[in-house]
């Protein structure tokens, strides 16, 4: 290789395009500075808003991508490269990638909606599509849950947006509901007092609104009381278990029985006689139905026509048989006559010849 020639070509290129190279370097340096300033300003502005951190990061990344794309296009145009062809190729690539990542783009769009609408936040306890747990992470593709038995569940944002979501941690207060069943012989007022006293004894339960307990159902084997109280969201399960355990102990202490389903089995030794009514099945009695004379006449005509046709066919066949039999008998009779004639004629001729011979003899004498 002729390295001297290559060096001379590089030197001539820089000498002829010195101003273009300077402008390229200036645009590059100024562009980088401008991008950093704009990104820092947007981050400061977004921090003073109530927007979620994930949404802030998403906006910053999109803005950074757009600014760097504009800077690259300016630098390429400064070098004398046509930007229109690059833009068309870039748009075709974006279209192909968008078609391939259709579901991912849908998840990103749903994530933007979830974050912008403040449906839920980190730490909330949600129930959706048979899954429940605390939210540990929300991004533009997935939402991560931590279940009570310490399982990690990752849900696509599109499934969250297309299904019902129950957010149990949306508000600081939460109501705790109870149902207590006691025997029918129990004192209603005593049961109400026991339940409310237990709820008031816990300092985690709010006194305003005050605890509530009333008789709700008269069931088959028990009377059911409905009770509720209010507490902080994070104290829900502590309050629930405290009330259930202490109400059960107080019921035992105050001799209030909690019923349960019982099955009683008895053995019968007497002869069971089944009651029978009536003497048996009655005789059948036909229902009198109205007869349609026109229809009956039409049916009888059709039936008679069919019968006549069958009879005529039978008579014709009989007549044909008779005629055939008669002809056969006539032929037999004629045949017998002929045979008889043949048998009778020869003896007559003999008698005639004898008579002739006798007459001839007499005449000769």
């Amino acid at each position: 290789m002729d390295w001297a020639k290559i060096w001379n070509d590089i030197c001539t290129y820089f000498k002829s395009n010195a101003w273009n190279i300077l402008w390229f370097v200036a645009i590059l340096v100024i562009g980088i500075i401008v991008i950093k300033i704009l990104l820092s300003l947007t981050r400061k502005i977004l921090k003073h808003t109530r927007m979620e951190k994930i949404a802030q990061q998403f906006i910053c990344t999109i803005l950074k991508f757009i600014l760097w794309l504009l800077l690259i296009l300016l630098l390429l145009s400064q070098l004398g490269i046509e930007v229109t062809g690059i833009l068309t190729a870039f748009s075709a690539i974006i279209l192909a990638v968008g078609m391939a990542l259709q579901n991912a783009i849908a998840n990103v769009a749903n994530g933007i909606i979830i974050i912008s609408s403040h449906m839920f936040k980190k730490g909330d306890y949600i129930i959706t599509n048979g899954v429940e747990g605390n939210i540990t992470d929300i991004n533009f593709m997935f939402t991560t849950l931590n279940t009570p038995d310490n399982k990690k569940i990752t849900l696509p944002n599109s499934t969250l947006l297309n299904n019902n979501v129950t957010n149990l941690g949306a508000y600081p207060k939460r109501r705790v509901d109870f149902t207590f069943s006691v025997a029918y012989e129990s004192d209603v007022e005593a049961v109400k007092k026991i339940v409310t006293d237990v709820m008031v004894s816990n300092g985690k339960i709010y006194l305003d609104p005050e605890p509530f307990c009333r008789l709700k159902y008269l069931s088959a084997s028990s009377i059911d009381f409905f009770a509720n109280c209010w507490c902080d969201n994070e104290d829900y399960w502590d309050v629930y278990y405290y009330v259930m355990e202490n109400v059960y102990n107080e019921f035992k202490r105050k001799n209030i029985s909690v019923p349960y389903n019982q099955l009683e089995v008895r053995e019968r030794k007497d002869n069971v006689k089944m009651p029978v009514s009536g003497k048996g099945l009655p005789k059948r009695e036909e229902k009198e139905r109205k007869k349609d004379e026109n229809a009956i006449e039409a049916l009888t005509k059709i039936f008679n026509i069919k019968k006549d046709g069958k009879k005529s066919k039978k008579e014709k066949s009989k007549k044909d048989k008779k005629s055939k039999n008669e002809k056969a008998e006539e032929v037999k009779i004629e045949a017998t006559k002929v045979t008889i004639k043949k048998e009778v004629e020869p003896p007559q001729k003999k008698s005639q010849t004898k008579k002739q011979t006798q007459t001839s003899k007499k005449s000769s004498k």
Side-chain angles (χ1 to χ4, degrees):
M1 292 179 69
D2 193 358
W3 292 103
K5 187 179 179 181
I6 293 168
W7 178 253
N8 290 324
D9 291 335
I10 292 168
C11 291
T12 53
Y13 176 78
F14 276 100
K15 286 177 183 180
S16 60
N17 296 312
W19 288 105
N20 290 328
I21 293 166
L22 288 172
W23 277 110
F24 180 84
V25 174
I27 291 168
L28 180 61
V29 173
I30 293 166
I32 293 169
I33 294 166
V34 169
I35 288 169
K36 288 183 178 180
I37 291 166
L38 289 173
L39 289 173
S40 63
L41 286 172
T42 52
R43 287 193 185 96
K44 287 179 181 178
I45 291 166
L46 291 172
K47 282 181 181 179
H48 293 289
T49 60
R50 294 181 179 178
M51 193 179 294
E52 295 288 335
K53 289 183 179 180
I54 298 169
Q56 295 176 13
Q57 292 175 2
F58 183 73
I59 291 167
C60 291
T61 51
I62 290 172
L63 183 62
K64 187 178 180 180
F65 176 76
I66 293 167
L67 292 172
W68 277 105
L69 180 62
L70 291 173
L71 180 60
I72 290 166
L73 293 174
L74 286 171
L75 293 172
L76 292 173
S77 63
Q78 185 64 34
L79 292 174
I81 299 169
E82 291 184 359
V83 182
T84 55
I86 294 168
L87 287 174
T88 53
F90 186 71
S91 61
I93 291 166
I94 289 172
L95 181 62
V97 172
M99 293 293 289
L101 300 174
Q102 188 175 1
N103 293 326
I105 292 167
N107 284 328
V108 171
N110 291 324
I112 293 167
I113 294 168
I114 289 169
I115 292 166
S116 61
S117 62
H118 300 285
M119 290 177 64
F120 38 76
K121 62 184 183 298
K122 285 184 181 181
D124 289 347
Y125 192 91
I126 64 170
I127 301 171
T128 177
N129 200 17
V131 177
E132 58 181 293
N134 290 309
I135 297 172
T136 57
D137 187 22
I138 305 171
N139 55 36
F140 286 98
M141 292 289 291
F142 305 102
T143 299
T144 305
L145 301 180
N146 187 15
T147 61
D149 55 352
N150 201 21
K151 292 179 182 178
K152 182 181 179 181
I153 298 174
T154 303
L155 298 173
N157 289 329
S158 58
T159 59
L160 287 172
L161 200 65
N162 294 326
N163 292 312
N164 295 326
V165 179
T166 304
N167 189 358
L168 301 177
Y171 303 106
K173 287 184 181 182
R174 189 174 171 188
R175 193 180 76 179
V176 189
D177 296 331
F178 304 95
T179 300
F180 299 106
S181 300
V182 296
Y184 267 93
E185 61 269 15
S186 302
D187 187 0
V188 174
E189 295 299 326
V191 172
K192 288 163 62 177
K193 187 175 185 303
I194 290 168
V195 174
T196 52
D197 288 343
V198 170
M199 289 190 287
V200 170
S201 66
N202 193 341
K204 295 179 181 179
I205 295 172
Y206 284 94
L207 297 177
D208 187 19
E210 61 183 359
F212 173 83
C213 181
R214 295 295 295 271
L215 177 62
K216 189 175 183 180
Y217 295 118
L218 300 176
S219 300
S221 59
S222 65
I223 53 176
D224 301 331
F225 289 82
F226 175 75
N228 62 40
C229 60
W230 289 84
C231 65
D232 293 330
N233 204 343
E234 62 270 14
D235 298 328
Y236 178 84
W237 291 111
D238 293 337
V239 169
Y240 180 84
Y241 294 125
Y242 173 85
V243 173
M244 290 295 290
E245 292 169 359
N246 285 280
V247 165
Y248 177 68
N249 290 327
E250 291 296 318
F251 281 170
K252 289 194 293 183
R253 190 175 288 113
K254 301 292 178 62
N255 295 324
I256 293 174
S257 63
V258 177
Y260 52 90
N261 291 328
Q262 297 179 0
L263 181 64
E264 185 177 351
V265 180
R266 294 183 182 181
E267 183 182 359
R268 296 192 64 173
K269 295 182 179 180
D270 56 340
N271 294 323
V272 181
K273 293 182 180 181
M274 301 296 291
V276 179
S277 62
K279 295 180 180 180
L281 294 174
K283 292 183 179 180
R284 178 182 172 85
E285 293 181 0
E286 291 289 338
K287 180 182 177 182
E288 294 181 359
R289 296 180 177 85
K290 293 181 180 179
K291 296 181 180 180
D292 191 354
E293 295 179 356
N294 294 324
I296 292 167
E297 287 178 359
L299 290 171
T300 52
K301 284 180 181 179
I302 292 165
F303 185 69
N304 291 327
I305 287 165
K306 287 182 179 178
K307 276 188 174 181
D308 293 335
K310 288 180 180 178
K311 286 180 180 179
S312 61
K313 286 180 181 178
K314 287 180 180 179
E315 288 175 356
K316 284 181 181 179
S317 63
K318 285 180 180 179
K319 286 178 180 179
D320 293 334
K321 286 181 180 179
K322 284 181 180 180
S323 61
K324 287 180 181 179
N325 293 325
E326 287 175 356
K327 286 179 181 179
E329 287 178 357
E330 288 178 356
V331 171
K332 286 180 181 179
I333 292 165
E334 289 178 355
T336 52
K337 284 180 180 181
V338 170
T339 54
I340 291 166
K341 283 180 181 181
K342 286 179 180 180
E343 291 176 354
V344 172
E345 282 180 356
Q348 288 179 356
K349 287 179 180 180
K350 288 179 180 179
S351 62
Q352 286 178 358
T353 54
K354 285 180 179 181
K355 286 180 179 181
Q356 286 177 359
T357 54
Q358 287 177 1
T359 54
S360 63
K361 286 177 178 181
K362 287 178 179 182
S363 62
S364 62
K365 290 178 179 181

